[in-house]
PDB file of all heavy atoms in Angstrom:
ATOM      1  N   HIS W   9      10.382   8.275  -0.274  1.00 99.00           N
ATOM      2  CA  HIS W   9      11.501   9.179  -0.612  1.00 99.00           C
ATOM      3  C   HIS W   9      11.612   9.235  -2.129  1.00 99.00           C
ATOM      4  O   HIS W   9      11.535   8.209  -2.798  1.00 99.00           O
ATOM      5  CB  HIS W   9      12.814   8.692   0.007  1.00 99.00           C
ATOM      6  CG  HIS W   9      13.856   9.777   0.054  1.00 99.00           C
ATOM      7  ND1 HIS W   9      14.496  10.241  -1.081  1.00 99.00           N
ATOM      8  CD2 HIS W   9      14.335  10.511   1.086  1.00 99.00           C
ATOM      9  CE1 HIS W   9      15.325  11.220  -0.743  1.00 99.00           C
ATOM     10  NE2 HIS W   9      15.254  11.399   0.575  1.00 99.00           N
ATOM     11  N   THR W 151      14.583   9.325   9.243  1.00 98.00           N
ATOM     12  CA  THR W 151      15.839  10.078   9.239  1.00 98.00           C
ATOM     13  C   THR W 151      15.511  11.540   9.519  1.00 98.00           C
ATOM     14  O   THR W 151      14.492  12.063   9.070  1.00 98.00           O
ATOM     15  CB  THR W 151      16.572   9.941   7.897  1.00 98.00           C
ATOM     16  OG1 THR W 151      15.773  10.553   6.872  1.00 98.00           O
ATOM     17  CG2 THR W 151      16.842   8.484   7.550  1.00 98.00           C
ATOM     18  N   TYR W 159      16.090  17.131  19.743  1.00 98.00           N
ATOM     19  CA  TYR W 159      14.834  16.387  19.924  1.00 98.00           C
ATOM     20  C   TYR W 159      14.759  15.709  21.289  1.00 98.00           C
ATOM     21  O   TYR W 159      13.967  14.814  21.505  1.00 98.00           O
ATOM     22  CB  TYR W 159      14.679  15.352  18.801  1.00 98.00           C
ATOM     23  CG  TYR W 159      14.496  16.004  17.449  1.00 98.00           C
ATOM     24  CD1 TYR W 159      15.592  16.273  16.628  1.00 98.00           C
ATOM     25  CD2 TYR W 159      13.240  16.391  17.022  1.00 98.00           C
ATOM     26  CE1 TYR W 159      15.432  16.911  15.400  1.00 98.00           C
ATOM     27  CE2 TYR W 159      13.067  17.014  15.797  1.00 98.00           C
ATOM     28  CZ  TYR W 159      14.167  17.273  14.996  1.00 98.00           C
ATOM     29  OH  TYR W 159      13.987  17.898  13.790  1.00 98.00           O
ATOM     30  N   ASP W 197      21.825  14.401   7.436  1.00 98.00           N
ATOM     31  CA  ASP W 197      22.463  15.026   6.271  1.00 98.00           C
ATOM     32  C   ASP W 197      23.979  14.979   6.342  1.00 98.00           C
ATOM     33  O   ASP W 197      24.655  15.199   5.345  1.00 98.00           O
ATOM     34  CB  ASP W 197      21.990  16.486   6.139  1.00 98.00           C
ATOM     35  CG  ASP W 197      20.499  16.567   5.870  1.00 98.00           C
ATOM     36  OD1 ASP W 197      20.027  15.848   4.975  1.00 98.00           O
ATOM     37  OD2 ASP W 197      19.802  17.314   6.585  1.00 98.00           O
ATOM     38  N   ILE W 199      25.713  12.321   7.423  1.00 97.00           N
ATOM     39  CA  ILE W 199      26.238  10.948   7.376  1.00 97.00           C
ATOM     40  C   ILE W 199      27.063  10.786   6.105  1.00 97.00           C
ATOM     41  O   ILE W 199      26.687  11.276   5.043  1.00 97.00           O
ATOM     42  CB  ILE W 199      25.076   9.946   7.423  1.00 97.00           C
ATOM     43  CG1 ILE W 199      24.522   9.941   8.835  1.00 97.00           C
ATOM     44  CG2 ILE W 199      25.513   8.554   7.002  1.00 97.00           C
ATOM     45  CD1 ILE W 199      23.265   9.170   8.988  1.00 97.00           C
TER      46      ILE W 199
HETATM   47  P1  FAD S   1      20.287  11.941   1.747  1.00 55.30           P
HETATM   48  O1  FAD S   1      20.369  13.365   1.362  1.00 55.30           O
HETATM   49  O2  FAD S   1      20.016  10.942   0.682  1.00 55.30           O
HETATM   50  O3  FAD S   1      21.621  11.484   2.465  1.00 55.30           O
HETATM   51  C1  FAD S   1      22.079  12.069   3.671  1.00 55.30           C
HETATM   52  C2  FAD S   1      23.556  11.754   3.820  1.00 55.30           C
HETATM   53  O4  FAD S   1      23.727  10.342   3.860  1.00 55.30           O
HETATM   54  C3  FAD S   1      24.400  12.275   2.646  1.00 55.30           C
HETATM   55  O5  FAD S   1      25.616  12.778   3.157  1.00 55.30           O
HETATM   56  C4  FAD S   1      24.620  11.038   1.799  1.00 55.30           C
HETATM   57  O6  FAD S   1      25.826  11.127   1.072  1.00 55.30           O
HETATM   58  C5  FAD S   1      24.664   9.957   2.851  1.00 55.30           C
HETATM   59  N1  FAD S   1      24.258   8.660   2.314  1.00 55.30           N
HETATM   60  C6  FAD S   1      23.101   8.375   1.701  1.00 55.30           C
HETATM   61  N2  FAD S   1      23.066   7.069   1.341  1.00 55.30           N
HETATM   62  C7  FAD S   1      24.240   6.540   1.731  1.00 55.30           C
HETATM   63  C8  FAD S   1      24.828   5.245   1.634  1.00 55.30           C
HETATM   64  N3  FAD S   1      24.181   4.219   1.083  1.00 55.30           N
HETATM   65  N4  FAD S   1      26.056   5.071   2.130  1.00 55.30           N
HETATM   66  C9  FAD S   1      26.721   6.074   2.698  1.00 55.30           C
HETATM   67  N5  FAD S   1      26.234   7.341   2.830  1.00 55.30           N
HETATM   68  C10 FAD S   1      25.006   7.556   2.344  1.00 55.30           C
HETATM   69  N6  FAD S   1      15.079  17.969   9.412  1.00 55.30           N
HETATM   70  C11 FAD S   1      14.651  18.119  10.684  1.00 55.30           C
HETATM   71  O7  FAD S   1      15.389  17.773  11.620  1.00 55.30           O
HETATM   72  N7  FAD S   1      13.416  18.610  10.959  1.00 55.30           N
HETATM   73  C12 FAD S   1      12.565  19.009   9.984  1.00 55.30           C
HETATM   74  O8  FAD S   1      11.459  19.443  10.278  1.00 55.30           O
HETATM   75  C13 FAD S   1      12.991  18.895   8.650  1.00 55.30           C
HETATM   76  N8  FAD S   1      12.202  19.286   7.628  1.00 55.30           N
HETATM   77  C14 FAD S   1      12.607  19.139   6.340  1.00 55.30           C
HETATM   78  C15 FAD S   1      11.765  19.523   5.304  1.00 55.30           C
HETATM   79  C16 FAD S   1      12.144  19.326   3.994  1.00 55.30           C
HETATM   80  C17 FAD S   1      11.189  19.716   2.898  1.00 55.30           C
HETATM   81  C18 FAD S   1      13.410  18.762   3.688  1.00 55.30           C
HETATM   82  C19 FAD S   1      13.834  18.565   2.261  1.00 55.30           C
HETATM   83  C20 FAD S   1      14.270  18.396   4.706  1.00 55.30           C
HETATM   84  C21 FAD S   1      13.878  18.561   6.049  1.00 55.30           C
HETATM   85  N9  FAD S   1      14.691  18.170   7.096  1.00 55.30           N
HETATM   86  C22 FAD S   1      14.281  18.335   8.386  1.00 55.30           C
HETATM   87  C23 FAD S   1      15.944  17.434   6.845  1.00 55.30           C
HETATM   88  C24 FAD S   1      15.655  15.968   6.484  1.00 55.30           C
HETATM   89  O9  FAD S   1      15.087  15.297   7.568  1.00 55.30           O
HETATM   90  C25 FAD S   1      16.912  15.256   6.034  1.00 55.30           C
HETATM   91  O10 FAD S   1      17.395  15.943   4.898  1.00 55.30           O
HETATM   92  C26 FAD S   1      16.653  13.788   5.681  1.00 55.30           C
HETATM   93  O11 FAD S   1      16.271  13.074   6.832  1.00 55.30           O
HETATM   94  C27 FAD S   1      17.880  13.107   5.110  1.00 55.30           C
HETATM   95  O12 FAD S   1      17.488  11.868   4.563  1.00 55.30           O
HETATM   96  P2  FAD S   1      17.707  11.564   2.993  1.00 55.30           P
HETATM   97  O13 FAD S   1      17.362  10.137   2.747  1.00 55.30           O
HETATM   98  O14 FAD S   1      17.015  12.588   2.190  1.00 55.30           O
HETATM   99  O15 FAD S   1      19.273  11.770   2.959  1.00 55.30           O
END
Side-chain angles (χ1 to χ4, degrees):
H9 198 288
T151 65
Y159 294 92
D197 296 311
I199 287 171

